[in-house]
Amino acid sequence: TGAGIKATTGFDAIANTENFIVVYPNSTNIGGTLQWNAYADGTPGHPSDANATDDVNFTSDLIDYFYEDYQINRNKVYVTGFSNGGFMAYYLALALPGQITAIAPVAASLWGDWANYIPANLNEKPIFHIHGTADGVVIPPAVNANWIDILSNYAQGTAGGCDGTAYYTETPYPGLTEYIINSCGNDEIKLHLISGLGHAWPSNAYTPLSPARVIW
């Protein structure tokens, strides 16, 4: 729910001081579960519900609404989300590349039609991914070979011919490893891997940094 992620993240306080609009949409019931339709295949429906809502169109309509009614800057539209919401952020980067500026998925990955839709829609897009090493629900990127494939493809974008799999690491403080992917373009792709964190939005118990502040 919008209310749930609003209470979890604390973006309101940052939006008030930094003068940006933060939006907390509600997902719908899909296959008997409240979730986003985050299966990336570019077609209506969902593997568990043929009548699932089209959340890509929904998000596109939201962006149009806030542009028309609040004059937002179309070149500064960002998506973050936790778990299923993070999966949706990845999907939106594929499906709405001209409307989404960058994404910040938390405890998520990319799910969908790997053979057809996903490779055809990979593009250079800044990504800031946050994940815990003890996540038992969604495999942490550092131990998930698919994640390196995802990020290397994003990094290569349309340029091609470069080693997008290369990355270097930093340790800003104990318990946090920062992976910076070698992007062929100018778009930064970064992972914050937090030691001991399970499937959760990071709290002060695991990081001295405010995730919402770092994402902003």
Side-chain angles (χ1 to χ4, degrees), residues 1-7 9-16 19-27 36 58-67 69-70 72 76-82 85 92 100 201 216:
T1 65
I5 199 67
K6 175 180 178 177
T9 61
F11 269 109
D12 275 10
I14 302 171
N16 289 339
N19 194 32
F20 65 89
I21 292 176
V22 58
V23 181
Y24 307 99
N26 288 315
S27 62
W36 296 105
F58 171 58
T59 305
S60 180
D61 288 347
L62 275 180
I63 295 169
D64 289 343
Y65 169 79
F66 280 95
Y67 174 74
D69 284 36
Y70 293 88
I72 63 168
K76 293 187 176 182
V77 177
Y78 308 96
V79 180
T80 185
F82 166 68
L92 293 171
I100 305 299
W201 186 273
W216 167 244

Side-chain angles (χ1 to χ4, degrees), residues 7 13 16 45 83 98-99 112 132 134 143 176 192 201:
N16 289 339
S83 191
Q99 293 176 269
V143 294
L176 170 64
H192 271 194
W201 186 273

Side-chain angles (χ1 to χ4, degrees), residues 171-189:
T171 306
Y173 63 85
L176 170 64
T177 303
E178 184 175 80
Y179 295 78
I180 297 91
I181 303 295
N182 176 29
S183 173
C184 298
N186 297 317
D187 299 320
E188 187 170 61
I189 297 174

Side-chain angles (χ1 to χ4, degrees), residues 84-105:
N84 175 246
F87 278 78
M88 193 67 216
Y90 269 116
Y91 188 8
L92 293 171
L94 296 177
L96 301 176
Q99 293 176 269
I100 305 299
T101 307
I103 60 171

Side-chain angles (χ1 to χ4, degrees), residues 42 45 53 61 121 123 132 139 146 166 168 173 179 215:
T53 50
D61 288 347
N121 289 274
N123 55 79
I139 299 173
N146 279 343
Y168 64 93
Y173 63 85
Y179 295 78
I215 287 170

